[in-house]
Amino acid sequence: MRGGDAAWVRYLLITIALGFLGVMLVAPLAAVFIEAFAKGAGAYWRNVTDPATLSALRLTLTAAAIAAPLNAVFGLAAAWAATRFDFKGRSLLITLIDLPFAVSPVIAGLIYVALLGSRTPLGGWLGGMGIEVIFATPGIVLATLFVTFPFVARELIPLMQEQGSDDEQAAVVLGADGWQTFRLVTLPRIRLALVYGLILANARAIGEFGAVSVVSGHIRGLTNTLPLHVEILYNEYNSVGAFAVASLLALFALATIGAKNALEWRLRRAREGGNGQ
Amino acid sequence: MADTRRDNLATLIACGVALCLGGCGGKPVRTLRNVSYDPTREFYQEVNEVFASEWKAKTGEKIEIEQSHGGSGKQARSVMDGMQADVVSLALEFDIDAIARRGGLIAADWRGRLPEGSAPYTSTIVFMVRPGNPKGMRDWADLVRPGIEVVTPNPKTSGGARWNYLAAWGQALRRAGGDEAAARDYLAKLYGSVPVLDSGARAATTTFVQRGIGDVLLTWENEARMALGHFGPQMCEIVTPKESILAEPPVAVVDAVVDKRGTRALAEAYLKFLYTEKGQRLAAKHHFRPRSGEALTGPGVRFPALDLFTVEEAAGGWQRAHEAHFADGALFDRIYQPGGGTN
């Protein structure tokens, strides 16, 4: 089998893979930056520092910053429940966690409008107390939470399943209380997977378009996130602005990949170190 | 090592929280929210600046005006679902009527509360063609010549597209002396030659100008003139037909919202501003046809004369137009087959 690989097969496959990457990924990414700088660095900077862009950036980061810790808590709780306890509905829980992956983001937005819009009982009650959810920041945070919540749980469940609960049981036998067990035994072993899940959730939170679009209301300078702002600028025939803002998103994506690689490298090193001990 | 990393994380979270608080806090400036449709962005941006400075000069109060844009029907729906709009400025009466009917957000007599049926500016539907008008598009009859592709958005989703549709219907009816069968035939031919049915007016413009699809684009006069200004005469050209529809995009105060927020006086002043000399000139500058004669003939303002008919004349008003043409199973559904079935 190994001897059968002719040199041309190898080169052909490498060419196809690299060619595909170039056409599908590198060229479009380069195009974003070329378009963004089409009218020079000055125009780029003006668009990036425009108040509406900055407000979109702030809202995007706010939504991601709220969604991330909540995801960590929920993901931990769900993974813990799914791998440490045996209860009725356990497999239902694991299935439901995947729901946001299966549902179209537009539906994710619409369900919150259907649940919390002013014509619904819950939405009407909140509105009566002067609390705006849909078409305001809370709605955007909710939609972001919905589309990102599987990430952490999905990273943790297989890992915790594989690790089993022997170490925790040992800790309990040795007299540790629940919190000590969690902090000193469980958490160190899942820390990297947790951060990995958070990085993925964060990338999705920053890039989410569909669900957020439905609940945003598109109020300039108030409820536009970065991806929504890109669309608006494009529709205003401001292509330099649209691509300048898109380049911010591209930079976030590159940073995500960088963080992910660094983490994978550490994971591998940690595992090798663990084997050596 | 691990500790510094944890510190970094803590700093990051603290920054995030500070950023959020910085954004959420701030002094209470009174705001006014105008929920509008797509092609009015640039117009209201300028109106808001001028009105805010006038209001400051008159009352000493600093205000902020927020604007939201999208397809007219979608915007109406958002307001019904609870978007806090002090005023709405939409593409057609039907959408404001829908808000008025559902939930009592706007009083049913809204149209009579401002001059000119609450439509401070008007527009019409014109043709946009390739430079030099190579296919010789002059009037409505040319649109249904064999081999001509017409780009127009979907009247099910786009307000502008409904004006396009009713303009085509109204003139066909006039030419045929009121013969509905002939008008239906015209529309069937017209929509049979539509290569792409975009969801909104702006998307249709992009399809025509930037993607180069079709021979002629049906669109708002204000949208066409703005696109011409943006892309230049080497990309497109406007043809004004001999007759077309008088498009009257209306505005209204959202009673339930202004009463709750205490912004009624401000909202009413804002809409009345649109009827002033200054407001009318701004409308003209952004290619909407002003109502007042003075602004119509101001320097640099030139709108070609054409024979205009109203929705009332073309289809007996919006409610009847909706039932006869746009509702599920109505005329549009019967004449349009996705994918250009009549090719």
Side-chain angles (χ1 to χ4, degrees):
Chain A
M1 184 75 191
R2 214 179 308 154
D5 281 350
W8 69 267
V9 174
R10 195 149 41 108
Y11 287 124
L12 183 71
L13 286 177
I14 292 173
T15 313
I16 289 174
L18 288 182
F20 191 76
L21 269 182
V23 172
M24 297 302 294
L25 290 175
V26 180
L29 194 63
V32 167
F33 286 93
I34 290 167
E35 288 281 340
F37 283 98
K39 290 193 180 143
Y44 177 83
W45 188 246
R46 260 197 312 285
N47 276 300
V48 167
T49 54
D50 181 80
T53 306
L54 291 180
S55 127
L57 177 66
R58 191 162 52 216
L59 178 59
T60 297
L61 293 180
T62 303
I66 296 174
L70 291 180
N71 268 322
V73 172
F74 169 80
L76 265 173
W80 189 274
T83 59
R84 295 294 182 262
F85 305 134
D86 203 9
F87 57 98
K88 266 199 188 130
R90 181 175 157 274
S91 53
L92 183 70
L93 172 73
I94 297 178
T95 312
L96 279 181
I97 288 170
D98 278 344
L99 193 68
F101 282 158
V103 166
S104 157
V106 176
I107 308 295
L110 283 176
I111 53 177
Y112 285 112
V113 175
L115 189 67
L116 295 164
S118 64
R119 286 182 292 171
T120 65
L122 189 55
W125 179 70
L126 286 170
M129 303 206 306
I131 300 172
E132 272 185 84
V133 178
I134 303 298
F135 311 118
T137 306
I140 289 167
V141 172
L142 272 180
T144 307
L145 257 179
F146 181 89
V147 296
T148 55
F149 87 61
F151 286 97
V152 171
R154 295 275 300 179
E155 284 303 318
L156 292 183
I157 288 173
L159 181 73
M160 289 173 72
Q161 208 137 35
E162 188 191 331
Q163 286 174 347
S165 57
D166 295 354
D167 290 8
E168 277 116 6
Q169 276 165 11
V172 172
V173 168
L174 291 173
D177 62 27
W179 175 241
Q180 280 175 322
T181 311
F182 173 74
R183 200 166 54 88
L184 298 172
V185 179
T186 313
L187 197 56
R189 296 199 306 169
I190 59 167
R191 204 184 58 198
L192 292 177
L194 179 64
V195 177
Y196 192 87
L198 279 176
I199 288 173
L200 293 181
N202 205 46
R204 176 72 194 262
I206 287 170
E208 177 55 26
F209 180 88
V212 167
S213 175
V214 175
V215 297
S216 144
H218 305 272
I219 303 154
R220 206 188 180 98
L222 205 66
T223 64
N224 271 337
T225 62
L226 280 182
L228 300 183
H229 195 51
V230 171
E231 191 205 23
I232 284 181
L233 290 171
Y234 187 75
N235 275 339
E236 286 175 356
Y237 302 127
N238 179 359
S239 74
V240 168
F243 283 102
V245 178
S247 77
L248 293 182
L249 288 168
L251 288 176
F252 276 124
L254 291 175
T256 302
I257 294 174
K260 192 169 145 271
N261 277 347
L263 198 71
E264 274 166 359
W265 181 73
R266 282 201 57 193
L267 264 174
R268 210 172 315 129
R269 229 181 37 160
R271 208 164 287 150
E272 278 157 16
N275 288 344
Q277 275 164 9
Chain B
M1 180 87 181
D3 274 348
T4 53
R5 203 144 288 169
R6 203 164 300 149
D7 286 349
N8 287 346
L9 191 70
T11 317
L12 202 71
I13 291 170
C15 283
V17 170
L19 206 66
C20 165
L21 290 179
C24 307
K27 61 225 165 295
V29 173
R30 248 202 328 166
T31 58
L32 184 78
R33 189 177 297 166
N34 178 0
V35 171
S36 192
Y37 63 112
D38 263 325
T40 58
R41 263 171 240 236
E42 295 79 5
F43 168 53
Y44 277 116
Q45 236 159 42
E46 204 171 342
V47 165
N48 294 347
E49 266 172 45
V50 176
F51 176 77
S53 67
E54 270 200 358
W55 182 264
K56 176 111 197 276
K58 217 179 332 178
T59 66
E61 185 194 6
K62 185 180 170 350
I63 53 159
E64 244 168 56
I65 302 169
E66 300 162 353
Q67 50 186 132
S68 162
H69 298 269
S72 187
K74 194 190 100 192
Q75 295 291 80
R77 182 108 218 160
S78 295
V79 172
M80 287 186 247
D81 280 329
M83 176 141 73
Q84 301 292 297
D86 297 284
V87 302
V88 286
S89 48
L90 297 176
L92 37 98
E93 246 171 69
F94 186 76
D95 289 330
I96 298 187
D97 274 338
I99 303 173
R101 265 200 311 276
R102 304 275 283 269
L105 291 166
I106 298 176
D109 67 344
W110 63 272
R111 212 166 311 129
R113 296 194 296 201
L114 286 165
E116 310 278 7
S118 284
Y121 41 80
T122 69
S123 191
T124 185
I125 301 302
V126 299
F127 308 161
M128 188 164 236
V129 297
R130 304 283 166 209
N133 196 3
K135 298 281 168 86
M137 295 288 116
R138 297 268 164 262
D139 212 349
W140 292 96
D142 298 317
L143 301 185
V144 294
R145 286 201 325 240
I148 298 295
E149 284 191 335
V150 182
V151 175
T152 174
N154 187 347
K156 291 261 184 186
T157 57
S158 156
R162 291 189 176 201
W163 287 111
N164 292 352
Y165 178 103
L166 289 175
W169 170 259
Q171 63 75 34
L173 214 53
R174 278 178 148 199
R175 272 192 302 144
D179 179 1
E180 290 214 353
R184 268 201 294 274
D185 195 42
Y186 176 88
L187 278 189
K189 264 193 211 151
L190 182 74
Y191 280 90
S193 71
V194 174
V196 198
L197 208 58
D198 285 297
S199 64
R202 192 52 66 87
T205 313
T206 308
T207 297
F208 180 76
V209 182
Q210 288 183 310
R211 291 171 61 201
I213 291 175
D215 302 304
V216 53
L217 167 75
L218 280 180
T219 190
W220 300 97
E221 182 182 53
N222 54 284
E223 174 77 5
R225 289 167 70 122
M226 199 197 102
L228 182 66
H230 187 83
F231 293 108
Q234 72 282 359
M235 292 285 276
C236 51
E237 193 174 309
I238 297 172
V239 172
T240 306
K242 289 188 199 68
E243 53 187 343
S244 191
I245 200 159
L246 176 68
E248 301 174 286
V251 298
V253 165
V254 183
D255 298 287
V257 174
V258 294
D259 288 341
K260 194 174 77 186
R261 299 186 62 230
T263 47
R264 180 175 282 280
L266 178 61
E268 281 171 355
Y270 177 75
L271 293 187
K272 284 197 182 116
F273 171 79
L274 299 170
Y275 292 87
T276 62
E277 176 73 22
K278 236 183 225 165
Q280 293 281 294
R281 281 202 188 285
L282 283 177
K285 182 180 166 193
H286 289 275
H287 314 301
F288 290 94
R289 293 184 174 222
R291 289 288 194 179
S292 83
E294 258 172 273
L296 253 173
T297 52
V301 178
R302 205 169 46 84
F303 290 96
L306 71 165
D307 187 5
L308 294 167
F309 52 85
T310 64
V311 179
E312 204 66 43
E313 288 158 7
W318 277 107
Q319 191 55 43
R320 286 170 74 180
H322 178 77
E323 283 154 17
H325 297 275
F326 309 122
D328 280 331
L331 187 57
F332 177 74
D333 277 342
R334 278 179 276 139
I335 58 170
Y336 180 75
Q337 288 100 31
T342 48
N343 277 351

